[in-house]
């Protein structure tokens, strides 16, 4: 019976999510990008680092749809492989920062008092530094690479999640179901994460979905200035960095990685708008 209710809820949620044309477009576009990045390289006749010196700077053609780079490597194949790194960076850093922000936001909002003051003042100091500058400082300190980039992107995005979650907890903390849980001596972790969390997580789902696109853009920016994923790994930002010296003579070297980033961010933003409409009870009708 419970499985049937869950199935009905999931179907109803998907119906609300895909109700508008923009959310449908975002969902389909993101699904296509994910499938291409996951399975597209399996059908490519070229390896990700196959060098063909006879096709250096070759333009788009039948054999190489998006052309070749400065070492004769197929750009389309490298875009597909690079999407795995870019998407993984975006999703992992957004989810990790959201998880940390939710935990500290719930603690600050539920306990209040000195605990809330300490956490929120620390977040104020933390957010005084611009997010991108903080990412650059952490990447420069830890060095380039996938793990260091994830940490840098995560650290720069935590304060916003803490503030959002705290605000939601403050509006829920005095409601009757919390008082009922406290009256039966439920443990504080149970109240925070079993009762409060399901009622405050919806805004964070929307914000996290939209922040994935921002994380992908920031990761590309770090790679572009040499602090993110390093060559020959085909991350989209690293591909932009490789092609920037040839932008006038061979603009396709940066056009296609730039389009990949733009389309992915667009899909995530459209999907985030659809999630907002699907999860907000005021907008369901």
């Amino acid at each position: 019976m419970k499985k049937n209710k869950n199935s009905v809820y999931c179907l109803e949620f998907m119906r609300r999510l895909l109700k508008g044309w923009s959310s449908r477009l975002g969902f389909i576009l993101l699904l296509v990008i994910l499938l291409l990045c996951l399975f597209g390289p399996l059908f490519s006749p070229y390896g990700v680092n196959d060098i063909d010196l006879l096709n250096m700077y070759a333009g788009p053609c039948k054999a190489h749809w998006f052309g070749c780079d400065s070492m004769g490597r197929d750009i389309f194949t490298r875009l597909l492989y690079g999407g795995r790194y870019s998407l993984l960076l975006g999703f992992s850093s957004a989810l990790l920062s959201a998880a940390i922000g939710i935990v500290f936001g719930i603690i600050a909002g539920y306990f209040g008092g000195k605990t809330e003051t300490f956490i929120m003042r620390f977040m104020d100091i933390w957010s005084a530094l611009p997010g991108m500058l903080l990412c650059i400082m952490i990447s420069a300190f830890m060095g380039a690479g996938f793990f260091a980039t994830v940490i840098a992107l995560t650290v720069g995005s935590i304060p916003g999640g803490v503030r959002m979650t705290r605000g939601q907890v403050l509006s829920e903390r005095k409601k009757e179901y919390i008082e009922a849980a406290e009256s039966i001596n439920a443990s504080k972790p149970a109240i925070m994460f079993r009762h409060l969390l399901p009622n405050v997580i919806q805004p964070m789902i929307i914000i996290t979905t939209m922040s994935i696109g921002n994380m992908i853009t920031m990761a590309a920016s770090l790679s572009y200035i040499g602090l993110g994923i390093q060559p020959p790994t085909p991350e989209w930002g690293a591909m932009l960095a490789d092609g920037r010296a040839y932008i006038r003579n061979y603009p396709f070297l940066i056009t296609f990685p730039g389009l990949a980033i733009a389309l992915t961010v667009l899909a995530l933003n459209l999907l985030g708008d659809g999630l907002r409409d699907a999860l907000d009870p005021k907008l369901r009708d």
Side-chain angles (χ1 to χ4, degrees), residues 11 28 55 77 124 155 164 169 199 208 215 242 252 261:
L11 290 174
I28 294 172
N55 281 308
T77 302
D124 291 339
V155 169
M164 173 62 69
V169 171
N199 291 283
T208 302
M215 294 294 188
D242 287 342
F252 61 88
I261 295 172

Side-chain angles (χ1 to χ4, degrees), residues 189-235:
I191 294 174
M192 288 189 292
F193 298 105
R194 185 180 299 174
H195 301 288
L196 272 173
L197 181 59
N199 291 283
V200 303
I201 200 172
Q202 288 187 359
M204 283 302 299
I205 293 175
I206 300 168
I207 291 174
T208 302
T209 302
M210 291 185 168
S211 70
I212 294 172
N214 185 46
M215 294 294 188
I216 292 174
T217 305
M218 292 176 68
S221 301
L222 289 175
S223 297
Y224 188 82
I225 61 177
L227 292 175
I229 304 298
Q230 298 297 297
T233 303
E235 193 265 339

Side-chain angles (χ1 to χ4, degrees), residues 127-178:
S127 59
L129 285 173
M132 192 62 202
L133 178 59
L134 192 58
C135 290
I136 292 173
M137 292 171 58
I138 295 172
S139 294
F141 176 77
M142 297 185 65
F146 181 86
F147 179 74
T149 303
V150 170
I151 297 299
L153 295 173
T154 299
V155 169
S157 305
I158 290 175
V162 174
R163 287 197 180 92
M164 173 62 69
T165 306
R166 169 186 168 269
Q168 294 294 316
V169 171
L170 289 177
S171 65
E172 295 284 330
R173 188 173 60 182
K174 298 300 182 182
K175 291 189 176 180
E176 293 180 354
Y177 70 94
I178 298 298

Side-chain angles (χ1 to χ4, degrees), residues 73-93:
R73 297 172 296 190
D74 183 67
I75 293 178
F76 180 68
T77 302
R78 289 178 63 78
L79 275 179
L80 297 180
Y81 277 99
R84 296 178 177 182
Y85 288 96
S86 294
L87 291 170
L88 188 57
L89 280 170
F91 277 90
S92 57
S93 54

Side-chain angles (χ1 to χ4, degrees), residues 27-47:
F27 179 81
I28 294 172
L29 187 57
L30 182 61
L31 182 62
V32 170
I33 292 171
L34 288 173
L35 291 176
L36 282 174
C37 292
L38 288 174
F39 302 109
L42 300 177
F43 304 100
S44 174
Y46 307 103

Side-chain angles (χ1 to χ4, degrees), residues 254-277:
I254 67 167
T255 298
F256 295 113
L259 281 175
I261 295 172
L263 288 175
T264 304
V265 173
L266 173 64
L268 288 164
N269 287 339
L270 292 176
L271 188 61
D273 287 338
L275 281 172
R276 180 200 60 194
D277 296 341

Side-chain angles (χ1 to χ4, degrees), residues 238-260:
M239 293 178 68
L240 285 173
D242 287 342
R244 64 185 171 185
Y246 314 101
I247 185 173
R248 292 187 177 180
N249 297 324
Y250 309 104
F252 61 88
L253 293 177
I254 67 167
T255 298
F256 295 113
L259 281 175

